[in-house]
């Protein structure tokens, strides 16, 4: 399988709990992105990495969200003290930097429901 | 903002008809990408058109780009029920090289 994979695919948690999602990008892709998508909306950018460096983080991302990409390969997104408003689909994408014109390949997403 | 705004919000057609979706944006771009999303799934990249290109084809897809009007269109010819999905445009470039900013998308329904 050469696509982007995400784990878990579904997560149900209670408000106040911490959750962690994992993303495995396409091998040798140096950029990795996290997006969040709520029902009826397009994906919203959260953060991205080039290799292991986190280069941009959305101003909308609260301090409860943290992402890592420790060895420049897989990435994790952690949400602490979850709130019902965190319920959404969390999408990961990866790309290979080509200057102007890189295609982002998306994973299947992790659907989070906070009760 | 580099966010693309798709129009119409929803489109319903019969199988075999053509479907046209439009995208407008506000700032200069290096490229514009179109993605498809089936219900509850991840996004699938359809086509990328660079700012110096005016038209691009891929199978039944035809994308045009008019940088003077800051607009793009996606045409799907001879539509199939399997084309039923949400379609998003994503202008890219400028100061946020990698980040994609999506609009609400166009929901296309193709009736068999």
């Amino acid at each position: 399988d050469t696509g982007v994979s995400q784990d878990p695919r579904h997560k149900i948690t209670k408000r106040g709990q911490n959750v962690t999602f994992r993303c495995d990008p396409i091998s040798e892709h140096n950029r990795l992105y996290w997006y969040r998508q709520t029902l009826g909306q397009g994906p919203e950018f959260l953060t991205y990495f080039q290799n292991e460096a986190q280069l941009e983080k959305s101003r909308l991302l609260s301090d409860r969200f943290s992402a890592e990409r420790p060895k420049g390969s897989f990435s994790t997104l952690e949400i602490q003290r979850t709130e019902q408003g965190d319920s959404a689909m969390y999408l990961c994408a990866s790309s290979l930097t080509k200057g102007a014109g890189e295609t982002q390949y998306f994973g299947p997403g992790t659907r989070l429901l906070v009760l | 903002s580099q966010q693309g705004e798709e129009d119409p919000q929803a489109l319903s057609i019969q199988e075999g008809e053509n479907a046209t979706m439009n995208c407008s944006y506000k700032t200069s771009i290096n490229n514009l990408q179109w993605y498809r999303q089936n219900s509850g799934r991840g996004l699938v990249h359809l086509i990328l058109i660079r700012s110096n290109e005016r038209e691009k084809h891929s199978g039944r897809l035809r994308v045009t780009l008019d940088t003077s009007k800051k607009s793009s269109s996606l045409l799907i010819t001879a539509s199939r029920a399997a084309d039923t999905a949400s379609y998003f445009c994503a202008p890219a470039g400028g100061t946020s090289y990698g980040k994609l900013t999506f609009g609400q998308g166009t929901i296309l329904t193709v009736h068999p």
Side-chain angles (χ1 to χ4, degrees):
Chain A
D1 184 9
T2 58
V4 177
S5 61
Q6 293 186 244
D7 184 70
R9 295 289 306 276
H10 302 273
K11 179 70 177 179
I12 301 173
T13 191
K14 293 182 179 179
R15 188 176 52 187
Q17 298 294 306
N18 299 344
V19 294
T20 300
F21 308 142
R22 176 179 170 124
C23 171
D24 286 90
I26 293 173
S27 178
E28 297 181 356
H29 275 191
N30 59 339
R31 286 189 171 180
L32 187 148
Y33 305 80
W34 285 99
Y35 295 85
R36 176 174 62 190
Q37 185 178 26
T38 53
L39 199 62
Q41 303 295 317
E44 174 187 37
F45 170 78
L46 293 179
T47 188
Y48 93 93
F49 294 83
Q50 180 151 313
N51 300 313
E52 64 274 9
Q54 188 173 17
L55 296 187
E56 189 171 349
K57 190 174 176 180
S58 169
R59 288 172 293 176
L60 301 175
L61 209 60
S62 78
D63 291 342
R64 297 184 296 106
F65 288 72
S66 63
E68 293 182 342
R69 194 183 183 197
K71 298 184 179 179
S73 57
F74 73 92
S75 175
T76 58
L77 176 69
E78 181 183 16
I79 309 174
Q80 296 182 326
R81 305 180 302 283
T82 53
E83 301 172 357
Q84 288 185 325
D86 297 330
S87 295
M89 173 82 89
Y90 290 83
L91 295 163
C92 174
S94 71
S95 68
L96 185 62
T97 308
K98 290 183 180 179
E102 57 185 76
T103 296
Q104 293 187 23
Y105 296 88
F106 282 78
T110 293
R111 187 172 294 280
L112 173 67
L113 178 60
V114 182
L115 301 176
Chain B
S1 165
Q2 283 185 330
Q3 180 173 344
E5 295 294 341
E6 296 88 352
D7 175 68
Q9 290 189 346
L11 182 59
S12 182
I13 60 174
Q14 294 296 126
E15 208 166 30
E17 294 179 341
N18 295 343
T20 299
M21 288 158 270
N22 302 297
C23 170
S24 60
Y25 57 93
K26 294 182 179 178
T27 63
S28 61
I29 60 172
N30 290 311
N31 68 79
L32 186 142
Q33 304 181 39
W34 284 90
Y35 287 82
R36 182 188 75 221
Q37 185 177 36
N38 293 86
S39 180
R41 310 283 293 275
L43 278 74
V44 174
H45 181 261
L46 295 177
I47 200 163
L48 181 153
I49 186 165
R50 302 183 194 284
S51 59
N52 60 353
E53 297 175 312
R54 291 297 167 260
E55 188 171 312
K56 203 162 182 179
H57 297 255
S58 177
R60 294 183 297 111
L61 306 180
R62 172 179 168 249
V63 168
T64 62
L65 179 64
D66 187 335
T67 53
S68 67
K69 295 181 179 178
K70 292 185 169 57
S71 67
S72 174
S73 68
L74 169 67
L75 168 67
I76 304 174
T77 60
S79 63
R80 305 167 182 168
D83 295 327
T84 295
S86 293
Y87 292 81
F88 297 92
C89 70
T95 59
S96 295
Y97 233 77
K99 177 176 70 176
L100 296 178
T101 307
F102 296 91
Q104 289 188 314
T106 292
I107 300 172
L108 173 66
T109 303
V110 182
H111 300 280

